[in-house]
Amino acid sequence: MSARTKARKRALDLLYSADMRQVPVEQMLVVEAQKAVGEPERAASWLYAREIVDGIVDHRDEIDELIETHSHGWTLERMPAVDRAILRIGVWEIIHNDAVPDPVAISEAVEAATVLSTDDSAGFVNGLLAAISHAKA
């Protein structure tokens, strides 16, 4: 597993945990940053995970609006929490991280949805992120 894939998984875990515990993501970041300092083997994936989560925090309204605009009949609240986190990461990478090609961001998100969510989630995530990618062009 690549360092970026690990970082996405760490960011996903952090976003999901904050959502489920109903605590601010920033609070979860403090805890994770303390863990990363004490575990040097986590350093490679921590920096990109932090960049993802900080980016989502900074652009959350825009990201959520894009998800709701392209989800056709699904509000964020109706989506499984893991799908919300996966989509936020994917949208942030597509819109705000030029270093990651859109197909890579979409593929990584679809893989996460396949492994971690419902049977229908991978197709939903793929379609929604592809629509956002096409709309930005």
Side-chain angles (χ1 to χ4, degrees):
M1 183 182 302
S2 76
R4 283 207 169 172
T5 299
K6 286 179 186 176
R8 287 181 190 96
K9 174 73 169 84
R10 292 186 68 190
L12 175 62
D13 291 345
L14 205 148
L15 293 168
Y16 176 79
S17 293
D19 195 2
M20 295 308 296
R21 294 178 183 170
Q22 298 181 342
V23 299
V25 175
E26 296 86 351
Q27 182 179 332
M28 299 295 294
L29 275 172
V30 171
V31 173
E32 284 299 310
Q34 291 169 345
K35 286 182 187 177
V37 169
E39 300 175 29
E41 67 277 1
R42 297 169 62 126
S45 64
W46 169 244
L47 293 177
Y48 188 56
R50 176 78 191 236
E51 183 180 348
I52 292 169
V53 175
D54 284 340
I56 291 168
V57 168
D58 291 345
H59 301 284
R60 186 166 194 143
D61 291 341
E62 174 195 13
I63 290 168
D64 287 355
E65 182 178 326
L66 283 167
I67 293 169
E68 289 208 346
T69 298
H70 292 278
S71 64
H72 304 295
W74 280 85
T75 62
L76 281 167
E77 294 76 27
R78 280 188 63 204
M79 295 175 197
V82 69
D83 290 1
R84 280 194 300 269
I86 290 168
L87 288 167
R88 285 173 174 147
I89 292 167
V91 171
W92 177 80
E93 285 190 318
I94 290 168
I95 302 298
H96 295 285
N97 189 351
D98 294 335
V100 176
D102 291 3
V104 172
I106 294 168
S107 177
E108 290 280 340
V110 169
E111 178 63 23
T114 300
V115 172
L116 300 170
S117 195
T118 70
D119 292 340
D120 297 329
S121 291
F124 178 71
V125 166
N126 184 55
L128 196 148
L129 293 179
I132 290 171
S133 175
H134 293 328
K136 84 168 191 180

